[in-house]
Amino acid sequence: MADVVNADPVDADLVNKVAWFEVATDDPDAAQRFYGELFGWSFTADPAPGADGSEYRLIHYQGEQVPSGGLAGTAGATPGHAIFTVQVADVAATCAEVERLGGKVRAKVVGAEQGPDFAYLIDTSGVVFGIFTPR
């Protein structure tokens, strides 16, 4: 996930709210054309590629400078999906709370050199969602 909204330290007004979304696909060019034409979204390359070198594009709503989501190229490594992401005060603490409540941590990245701390989680009914804390 990108440098989410180039955010400063955690904004208390955004904590525990959906603050980012992501579309992942093995054909990011086609997805960009589709969503661009459908909703008027524009796309820019994320200046910091993923830790695995994967491509990431920032999604901007029409007329807005700050990105609201991302388009990830999966190169076929994972199925296509769309996911909502909630900003939290502490990714590790939230992961622990998810597990306490019966959910699961699918993947967690905390303390990476680039990008925010984030995790993909699974709720008790099997729905995947994300969390992040900007740096």
Side-chain angles (χ1 to χ4, degrees):
M1 188 164 56
D3 180 23
V4 178
V5 251
N6 298 320
D8 291 326
V10 177
D11 181 341
D13 290 337
L14 294 177
V15 170
N16 296 330
K17 296 179 182 173
V18 174
W20 191 257
F21 72 94
E22 182 174 86
V23 176
T25 176
D26 63 353
D27 192 348
D29 292 331
Q32 180 173 321
R33 278 189 305 276
F34 177 81
Y35 289 108
E37 289 182 29
L38 181 63
F39 297 126
W41 296 349
S42 61
F43 299 78
T44 56
D46 186 345
D52 61 357
S54 60
E55 175 186 9
Y56 202 83
R57 301 173 193 185
L58 303 176
I59 299 172
H60 302 262
Y61 294 144
Q62 194 168 21
E64 294 191 14
Q65 299 299 314
V66 176
S68 297
L71 175 65
T74 65
T78 61
H81 63 273
I83 191 168
F84 71 90
T85 308
V86 176
Q87 182 173 317
V88 297
D90 183 314
V91 167
T94 303
C95 287
E97 184 67 3
V98 163
E99 290 177 323
R100 186 188 74 74
L101 294 170
K104 296 178 183 173
V105 176
R106 183 177 193 182
K108 177 173 65 172
V109 176
V110 175
E113 196 171 310
Q114 294 184 345
D117 292 344
F118 71 93
Y120 293 117
L121 308 169
I122 304 171
D123 74 11
T124 56
S125 65
V127 174
V128 176
F129 66 101
I131 59 171
F132 76 95
T133 301
R135 291 191 205 171

PDB file of all heavy atoms in Angstrom, residues 90-105 121 124 129 131:
ATOM      1  N   ASP A  90      -2.905   2.099  16.014  1.00  0.00           N
ATOM      2  CA  ASP A  90      -1.785   1.176  16.204  1.00  0.00           C
ATOM      3  C   ASP A  90      -2.123  -0.148  15.512  1.00  0.00           C
ATOM      4  O   ASP A  90      -3.017  -0.873  15.961  1.00  0.00           O
ATOM      5  CB  ASP A  90      -1.554   0.976  17.700  1.00  0.00           C
ATOM      6  CG  ASP A  90      -0.376   0.093  18.027  1.00  0.00           C
ATOM      7  OD1 ASP A  90      -0.219  -0.991  17.411  1.00  0.00           O
ATOM      8  OD2 ASP A  90       0.397   0.468  18.921  1.00  0.00           O
ATOM      9  N   VAL A  91      -1.406  -0.468  14.459  1.00  0.00           N
ATOM     10  CA  VAL A  91      -1.693  -1.679  13.684  1.00  0.00           C
ATOM     11  C   VAL A  91      -1.491  -2.935  14.521  1.00  0.00           C
ATOM     12  O   VAL A  91      -2.349  -3.824  14.536  1.00  0.00           O
ATOM     13  CB  VAL A  91      -0.850  -1.724  12.390  1.00  0.00           C
ATOM     14  CG1 VAL A  91      -0.901  -3.103  11.743  1.00  0.00           C
ATOM     15  CG2 VAL A  91      -1.339  -0.668  11.412  1.00  0.00           C
ATOM     16  N   ALA A  92      -0.378  -3.040  15.229  1.00  0.00           N
ATOM     17  CA  ALA A  92      -0.112  -4.252  16.013  1.00  0.00           C
ATOM     18  C   ALA A  92      -1.175  -4.461  17.087  1.00  0.00           C
ATOM     19  O   ALA A  92      -1.671  -5.580  17.270  1.00  0.00           O
ATOM     20  CB  ALA A  92       1.286  -4.176  16.630  1.00  0.00           C
ATOM     21  N   ALA A  93      -1.555  -3.395  17.779  1.00  0.00           N
ATOM     22  CA  ALA A  93      -2.578  -3.513  18.825  1.00  0.00           C
ATOM     23  C   ALA A  93      -3.934  -3.895  18.228  1.00  0.00           C
ATOM     24  O   ALA A  93      -4.666  -4.704  18.807  1.00  0.00           O
ATOM     25  CB  ALA A  93      -2.696  -2.199  19.605  1.00  0.00           C
ATOM     26  N   THR A  94      -4.253  -3.343  17.066  1.00  0.00           N
ATOM     27  CA  THR A  94      -5.529  -3.668  16.425  1.00  0.00           C
ATOM     28  C   THR A  94      -5.534  -5.117  15.956  1.00  0.00           C
ATOM     29  O   THR A  94      -6.549  -5.811  16.088  1.00  0.00           O
ATOM     30  CB  THR A  94      -5.821  -2.700  15.263  1.00  0.00           C
ATOM     31  OG1 THR A  94      -5.809  -1.363  15.770  1.00  0.00           O
ATOM     32  CG2 THR A  94      -7.172  -2.995  14.633  1.00  0.00           C
ATOM     33  N   CYS A  95      -4.400  -5.607  15.449  1.00  0.00           N
ATOM     34  CA  CYS A  95      -4.314  -7.020  15.057  1.00  0.00           C
ATOM     35  C   CYS A  95      -4.561  -7.925  16.258  1.00  0.00           C
ATOM     36  O   CYS A  95      -5.285  -8.927  16.148  1.00  0.00           O
ATOM     37  CB  CYS A  95      -2.945  -7.321  14.444  1.00  0.00           C
ATOM     38  SG  CYS A  95      -2.705  -6.652  12.789  1.00  0.00           S
ATOM     39  N   ALA A  96      -3.990  -7.582  17.392  1.00  0.00           N
ATOM     40  CA  ALA A  96      -4.202  -8.374  18.606  1.00  0.00           C
ATOM     41  C   ALA A  96      -5.675  -8.363  19.007  1.00  0.00           C
ATOM     42  O   ALA A  96      -6.235  -9.392  19.404  1.00  0.00           O
ATOM     43  CB  ALA A  96      -3.328  -7.836  19.747  1.00  0.00           C
ATOM     44  N   GLU A  97      -6.316  -7.213  18.872  1.00  0.00           N
ATOM     45  CA  GLU A  97      -7.739  -7.111  19.225  1.00  0.00           C
ATOM     46  C   GLU A  97      -8.607  -7.926  18.264  1.00  0.00           C
ATOM     47  O   GLU A  97      -9.570  -8.577  18.673  1.00  0.00           O
ATOM     48  CB  GLU A  97      -8.173  -5.638  19.256  1.00  0.00           C
ATOM     49  CG  GLU A  97      -9.602  -5.424  19.698  1.00  0.00           C
ATOM     50  CD  GLU A  97      -9.873  -5.778  21.158  1.00  0.00           C
ATOM     51  OE1 GLU A  97      -8.955  -6.158  21.902  1.00  0.00           O
ATOM     52  OE2 GLU A  97     -11.050  -5.671  21.553  1.00  0.00           O
ATOM     53  N   VAL A  98      -8.258  -7.916  16.976  1.00  0.00           N
ATOM     54  CA  VAL A  98      -8.988  -8.720  15.994  1.00  0.00           C
ATOM     55  C   VAL A  98      -8.921 -10.189  16.378  1.00  0.00           C
ATOM     56  O   VAL A  98      -9.939 -10.898  16.373  1.00  0.00           O
ATOM     57  CB  VAL A  98      -8.422  -8.481  14.574  1.00  0.00           C
ATOM     58  CG1 VAL A  98      -8.847  -9.575  13.607  1.00  0.00           C
ATOM     59  CG2 VAL A  98      -8.851  -7.123  14.055  1.00  0.00           C
ATOM     60  N   GLU A  99      -7.747 -10.653  16.736  1.00  0.00           N
ATOM     61  CA  GLU A  99      -7.602 -12.058  17.130  1.00  0.00           C
ATOM     62  C   GLU A  99      -8.367 -12.359  18.416  1.00  0.00           C
ATOM     63  O   GLU A  99      -8.989 -13.411  18.545  1.00  0.00           O
ATOM     64  CB  GLU A  99      -6.122 -12.415  17.274  1.00  0.00           C
ATOM     65  CG  GLU A  99      -5.436 -12.450  15.920  1.00  0.00           C
ATOM     66  CD  GLU A  99      -3.951 -12.728  15.995  1.00  0.00           C
ATOM     67  OE1 GLU A  99      -3.283 -12.238  16.943  1.00  0.00           O
ATOM     68  OE2 GLU A  99      -3.454 -13.426  15.096  1.00  0.00           O
ATOM     69  N   ARG A 100      -8.349 -11.427  19.366  1.00  0.00           N
ATOM     70  CA  ARG A 100      -9.097 -11.616  20.617  1.00  0.00           C
ATOM     71  C   ARG A 100     -10.589 -11.767  20.336  1.00  0.00           C
ATOM     72  O   ARG A 100     -11.291 -12.544  20.983  1.00  0.00           O
ATOM     73  CB  ARG A 100      -8.863 -10.435  21.560  1.00  0.00           C
ATOM     74  CG  ARG A 100      -9.501 -10.634  22.943  1.00  0.00           C
ATOM     75  CD  ARG A 100      -9.439  -9.384  23.793  1.00  0.00           C
ATOM     76  NE  ARG A 100     -10.395  -8.365  23.365  1.00  0.00           N
ATOM     77  CZ  ARG A 100     -11.708  -8.397  23.567  1.00  0.00           C
ATOM     78  NH1 ARG A 100     -12.271  -9.414  24.169  1.00  0.00           N
ATOM     79  NH2 ARG A 100     -12.479  -7.409  23.153  1.00  0.00           N
ATOM     80  N   LEU A 101     -11.079 -11.048  19.325  1.00  0.00           N
ATOM     81  CA  LEU A 101     -12.500 -11.087  18.983  1.00  0.00           C
ATOM     82  C   LEU A 101     -12.863 -12.252  18.061  1.00  0.00           C
ATOM     83  O   LEU A 101     -14.012 -12.398  17.672  1.00  0.00           O
ATOM     84  CB  LEU A 101     -12.903  -9.760  18.324  1.00  0.00           C
ATOM     85  CG  LEU A 101     -12.840  -8.538  19.238  1.00  0.00           C
ATOM     86  CD1 LEU A 101     -13.027  -7.255  18.428  1.00  0.00           C
ATOM     87  CD2 LEU A 101     -13.884  -8.649  20.339  1.00  0.00           C
ATOM     88  N   GLY A 102     -11.887 -13.083  17.701  1.00  0.00           N
ATOM     89  CA  GLY A 102     -12.162 -14.265  16.881  1.00  0.00           C
ATOM     90  C   GLY A 102     -11.825 -14.108  15.418  1.00  0.00           C
ATOM     91  O   GLY A 102     -12.034 -15.024  14.627  1.00  0.00           O
ATOM     92  N   GLY A 103     -11.302 -12.961  15.014  1.00  0.00           N
ATOM     93  CA  GLY A 103     -10.875 -12.759  13.636  1.00  0.00           C
ATOM     94  C   GLY A 103      -9.460 -13.275  13.437  1.00  0.00           C
ATOM     95  O   GLY A 103      -8.853 -13.849  14.351  1.00  0.00           O
ATOM     96  N   LYS A 104      -8.927 -13.069  12.228  1.00  0.00           N
ATOM     97  CA  LYS A 104      -7.584 -13.568  11.899  1.00  0.00           C
ATOM     98  C   LYS A 104      -6.776 -12.473  11.221  1.00  0.00           C
ATOM     99  O   LYS A 104      -7.314 -11.623  10.515  1.00  0.00           O
ATOM    100  CB  LYS A 104      -7.684 -14.765  10.958  1.00  0.00           C
ATOM    101  CG  LYS A 104      -8.386 -15.953  11.577  1.00  0.00           C
ATOM    102  CD  LYS A 104      -8.494 -17.090  10.604  1.00  0.00           C
ATOM    103  CE  LYS A 104      -9.280 -18.229  11.256  1.00  0.00           C
ATOM    104  NZ  LYS A 104      -9.568 -19.299  10.318  1.00  0.00           N
ATOM    105  N   VAL A 105      -5.476 -12.546  11.419  1.00  0.00           N
ATOM    106  CA  VAL A 105      -4.543 -11.676  10.717  1.00  0.00           C
ATOM    107  C   VAL A 105      -4.047 -12.450   9.504  1.00  0.00           C
ATOM    108  O   VAL A 105      -3.438 -13.513   9.645  1.00  0.00           O
ATOM    109  CB  VAL A 105      -3.358 -11.272  11.620  1.00  0.00           C
ATOM    110  CG1 VAL A 105      -2.351 -10.438  10.840  1.00  0.00           C
ATOM    111  CG2 VAL A 105      -3.863 -10.514  12.843  1.00  0.00           C
ATOM    112  N   LEU A 121      -6.812  -8.244   7.339  1.00  0.00           N
ATOM    113  CA  LEU A 121      -7.448  -9.021   8.390  1.00  0.00           C
ATOM    114  C   LEU A 121      -8.669  -9.748   7.854  1.00  0.00           C
ATOM    115  O   LEU A 121      -9.191  -9.392   6.796  1.00  0.00           O
ATOM    116  CB  LEU A 121      -7.861  -8.082   9.527  1.00  0.00           C
ATOM    117  CG  LEU A 121      -6.737  -7.171  10.048  1.00  0.00           C
ATOM    118  CD1 LEU A 121      -7.307  -6.116  10.975  1.00  0.00           C
ATOM    119  CD2 LEU A 121      -5.665  -7.983  10.729  1.00  0.00           C
ATOM    120  N   THR A 124     -14.906 -12.298  11.587  1.00  0.00           N
ATOM    121  CA  THR A 124     -15.449 -13.595  12.019  1.00  0.00           C
ATOM    122  C   THR A 124     -16.378 -14.242  11.003  1.00  0.00           C
ATOM    123  O   THR A 124     -16.704 -15.411  11.132  1.00  0.00           O
ATOM    124  CB  THR A 124     -16.184 -13.450  13.364  1.00  0.00           C
ATOM    125  OG1 THR A 124     -17.191 -12.442  13.232  1.00  0.00           O
ATOM    126  CG2 THR A 124     -15.220 -13.065  14.475  1.00  0.00           C
ATOM    127  N   PHE A 129     -10.531  -7.312   5.154  1.00  0.00           N
ATOM    128  CA  PHE A 129     -10.451  -5.866   5.155  1.00  0.00           C
ATOM    129  C   PHE A 129      -9.049  -5.467   5.582  1.00  0.00           C
ATOM    130  O   PHE A 129      -8.255  -6.306   6.002  1.00  0.00           O
ATOM    131  CB  PHE A 129     -11.523  -5.236   6.067  1.00  0.00           C
ATOM    132  CG  PHE A 129     -11.338  -5.549   7.537  1.00  0.00           C
ATOM    133  CD1 PHE A 129     -10.773  -4.619   8.391  1.00  0.00           C
ATOM    134  CD2 PHE A 129     -11.749  -6.770   8.053  1.00  0.00           C
ATOM    135  CE1 PHE A 129     -10.618  -4.909   9.739  1.00  0.00           C
ATOM    136  CE2 PHE A 129     -11.588  -7.064   9.401  1.00  0.00           C
ATOM    137  CZ  PHE A 129     -11.020  -6.130  10.249  1.00  0.00           C
ATOM    138  N   ILE A 131      -6.264  -2.535   7.532  1.00  0.00           N
ATOM    139  CA  ILE A 131      -6.057  -1.451   8.478  1.00  0.00           C
ATOM    140  C   ILE A 131      -4.695  -0.835   8.176  1.00  0.00           C
ATOM    141  O   ILE A 131      -3.823  -1.499   7.590  1.00  0.00           O
ATOM    142  CB  ILE A 131      -6.122  -1.912   9.947  1.00  0.00           C
ATOM    143  CG1 ILE A 131      -5.077  -2.989  10.243  1.00  0.00           C
ATOM    144  CG2 ILE A 131      -7.519  -2.386  10.304  1.00  0.00           C
ATOM    145  CD1 ILE A 131      -4.929  -3.349  11.718  1.00  0.00           C
TER     146      ILE A 131
END
